[in-house]
Amino acid sequence: MTSYRSSWPCAALVWHKRRPEFAMSVMSLLPILQYPDPRLHKVAKPVAKVDDRIRKLVRDMAETMYDAPGIGLAATQVDVHERVVVIDLSEDNKHLQVFINPEILWSSPERKTYEEGCLSVPGVYDEVERPASVKVRALDDQGKAFEIDAEGLLAVCIQHEIDHLNGKVFVEYLSRLKQDRIRTKIKKAQRG
Ligand SMILES: [Zn+2]
């Protein structure tokens, strides 16, 4: 069943307060593309150089994510087609994780189902099955390579955001019928 609720359960606990230290520097809230915008299906290009332009993008994306509020955001969702992802699963918005040019090196054969939501598909939550854990390599906001083993919600989130960079929105895992219903609901909401 597709359920429609006001917030993603894991998001609901989190992101009410903005990070005060973020308020000190100049930032912009970026508009988030809404499904079924065709720009959500563009494949993002690798970041060639992690420089001040990318660090500004990371700050703006983080601010946009905290403001929404959400637990993850891919650059594709703000119409920047470069491989940048921000995630913060903490309750105090103090654990920003930045993944530039993220690559999944390994996925567990074991799979798990989570109810997912997306800032680009507001009000829609549904179950998606994915590998339960993944090993990811990426660059941080200083251009330094790192690897992490992710499981649980972090594994879900990373895979969801990397999908965005590849032009895929989570609703594409659902049946045609559900996708049609979601498009109808969003069109109605946009009109109303
Ligand atoms: Zn999403």
Side-chain angles (χ1 to χ4, degrees):
M1 276 291 288
T2 305
S3 57
Y4 301 112
R5 276 186 303 191
S6 58
S7 58
W8 197 8
C10 23
L13 305 170
V14 198
W15 311 316
H16 292 92
K17 297 171 213 99
R18 298 226 198 139
R19 301 170 66 175
E21 67 271 31
F22 265 120
M24 311 293 234
S25 56
V26 181
M27 274 163 314
S28 325
L29 289 179
L30 307 168
I32 299 175
L33 298 179
Q34 304 287 293
Y35 179 83
D37 192 309
R39 290 171 289 181
L40 286 169
H41 303 303
K42 284 193 189 176
V43 177
K45 292 193 175 75
V47 170
K49 187 170 187 265
V50 181
D51 54 12
D52 287 346
R53 181 184 67 88
I54 293 296
R55 281 185 282 274
K56 163 94 167 87
L57 173 65
V58 165
R59 283 199 305 276
D60 289 347
M61 284 174 59
E63 174 76 349
T64 302
M65 173 181 75
Y66 291 127
D67 183 74
I71 56 174
L73 190 69
T76 306
Q77 292 176 276
V78 293
D79 202 20
V80 175
H81 302 281
E82 295 182 76
R83 303 187 80 81
V84 178
V85 162
V86 294
I87 291 175
D88 191 336
L89 303 179
S90 70
E91 291 195 27
D92 58 3
N93 292 348
K94 284 192 171 151
H95 296 86
L96 182 68
Q97 292 176 277
V98 178
F99 300 88
I100 296 169
N101 298 342
E103 279 175 86
I104 294 178
L105 301 176
W106 174 84
S107 303
S108 65
E110 187 209 341
R111 296 171 71 84
K112 210 161 178 189
T113 300
Y114 268 88
E115 188 175 68
E116 298 189 19
C118 180
L119 294 176
S120 293
V121 199
V124 174
Y125 305 88
D126 211 326
E127 291 186 336
V128 177
E129 187 192 281
R130 301 180 184 272
S133 40
V134 287
K135 181 186 266 297
V136 175
R137 178 166 56 205
L139 304 177
D140 66 14
D141 64 358
Q142 301 303 312
K144 192 165 173 282
F146 67 95
E147 285 182 15
I148 59 157
D149 293 305
E151 55 177 23
L153 183 57
L154 181 59
V156 175
C157 224
I158 289 176
Q159 292 177 83
H160 176 119
E161 302 309 338
I162 290 177
D163 274 352
H164 275 304
L165 300 180
N166 294 330
K168 186 163 183 170
V169 179
F170 87 99
V171 295
E172 290 169 64
Y173 289 101
L174 309 178
S175 68
R176 283 268 149 222
L177 179 67
K178 279 185 177 178
Q179 292 184 47
D180 289 345
R181 280 191 195 145
I182 290 165
R183 276 194 290 270
T184 307
K185 176 190 148 65
I186 287 172
K187 270 186 214 145
K188 255 191 209 163
Q190 283 168 349
R191 278 201 303 268

